[in-house]
Amino acid sequence: SDIIVPLDELPPYHITKERLTASVFLSHRWEARSLHQHLADLRNQAMYGVVHGGIDRDLRKLSIDYLCSLPFDGFAVGGSLGKDKDELIDLLSYVMPLLPQDKPNHLLGIADCESIDRAVPWGVDTFDSCYPTRVARHGHLLSREGVIRIRQGKYARDKRPIDEQCSCFTCRQHSRAYLHHLVKAHEPVASQLLTIHNLQYMNDKMATIRQGILDGKI
């Protein structure tokens, strides 16, 4: 792995301030120990410090100040990130300006399309999530026209690819109708083909975002 993160604790959303504070300090101790071991044997890997504190701004600030005092290669925003997307973005609007601008920033466990679109302008560089593969296993395909629920009967005779602009194997070789048949027949290969497309879609999306940043549009 190019990027590694230390062991940390993920407390639940509804938690007392006292318990959350203890969790932040526990994660800080683990992160410091992990960094110490990492620096003794780098192995061409970057270690990111994980910012904790839930939605408590004081604890987030405390976490950032402490982690920035250590020689991490980058930073990841982790822990409880809010009860919904609006609270997530509100948290990022506070946290991201406090992080060093000369190091990469990551958002842990979040990578649905809407969250990416809303988080990137706040300075989030990278994301990780099971989202594109999980929804593929449930028959949901990501496309430039929105989410395609391939189980629906309207796709039974649709000879078009999932996405006309996609270059993935699934779009080049198979129609929506065929994929609909595979999903309805519970064929194991359906999950593979849908996953191939969703991963390609996410890669294409991030490439478009990167170009938008370079062009000064984001």
Side-chain angles (χ1 to χ4, degrees):
S1 166
D2 296 322
I3 299 170
I4 54 177
V5 295
L7 178 68
D8 60 349
E9 183 180 48
L10 177 56
Y13 177 78
H14 297 290
I15 191 173
T16 65
K17 176 69 174 282
E18 181 182 25
R19 178 66 185 86
L20 182 58
T21 301
S23 176
V24 170
F25 288 144
L26 176 64
S27 288
H28 284 176
R29 292 194 296 273
W30 286 349
E31 292 185 60
R33 290 166 59 188
S34 296
L35 180 62
H36 177 75
Q37 291 300 119
H38 167 69
L39 294 174
D41 186 13
L42 293 176
R43 301 191 183 187
N44 294 314
Q45 293 176 308
M47 177 174 276
Y48 285 15
V50 182
V51 177
H52 275 276
I55 60 170
D56 187 293
R57 294 193 171 196
D58 292 337
L59 286 177
R60 286 287 179 178
K61 176 72 164 55
L62 180 150
S63 186
I64 291 170
D65 290 344
Y66 173 70
L67 295 174
C68 286
S69 73
L70 302 176
F72 283 106
D73 300 299
F75 297 93
V77 181
S80 177
L81 297 169
K83 64 180 181 294
D84 53 31
K85 291 183 177 64
D86 288 337
E87 196 163 40
L88 165 66
I89 299 305
D90 181 64
L91 177 65
L92 291 178
S93 72
Y94 174 75
V95 168
M96 296 308 297
L98 300 178
L99 291 170
Q101 298 300 302
D102 60 342
K103 291 187 177 182
N105 298 310
H106 182 82
L107 183 58
L108 280 168
I110 303 292
D112 62 280
C113 297
E114 180 186 346
S115 295
I116 289 174
D117 289 336
R118 296 178 66 182
V120 166
W122 286 108
V124 178
D125 299 304
T126 52
F127 303 80
D128 75 275
S129 173
C130 65
Y131 170 75
T133 55
R134 185 183 68 245
V135 298
R137 293 193 297 273
H138 290 279
H140 293 182
L141 290 158
L142 309 176
S143 79
R144 289 163 179 80
E145 65 183 60
V147 176
I148 295 174
R149 293 168 175 80
I150 202 66
R151 291 178 182 273
Q152 294 179 349
K154 64 182 179 180
Y155 298 114
R157 292 179 174 78
D158 192 334
K159 302 301 183 182
R160 295 174 296 164
I162 303 163
D163 191 324
E164 298 281 357
Q165 300 179 53
C166 182
S167 62
C168 79
F169 171 83
T170 304
C171 284
R172 287 186 287 107
Q173 298 294 327
H174 302 299
S175 67
R176 298 181 183 188
Y178 179 63
L179 297 172
H180 169 83
H181 158 71
L182 293 177
V183 170
K184 295 291 285 187
H186 303 289
E187 291 286 354
V189 73
S191 292
Q192 296 176 347
L193 292 173
L194 271 58
T195 295
I196 288 171
H197 167 75
N198 279 359
L199 291 177
Q200 182 66 57
Y201 175 85
M202 294 303 294
N203 281 326
D204 290 346
K205 179 178 181 64
M206 296 310 295
T208 299
I209 288 174
R210 283 195 296 272
Q211 192 58 53
I213 293 171
L214 293 173
D215 294 342
K217 298 177 181 177
I218 297 177

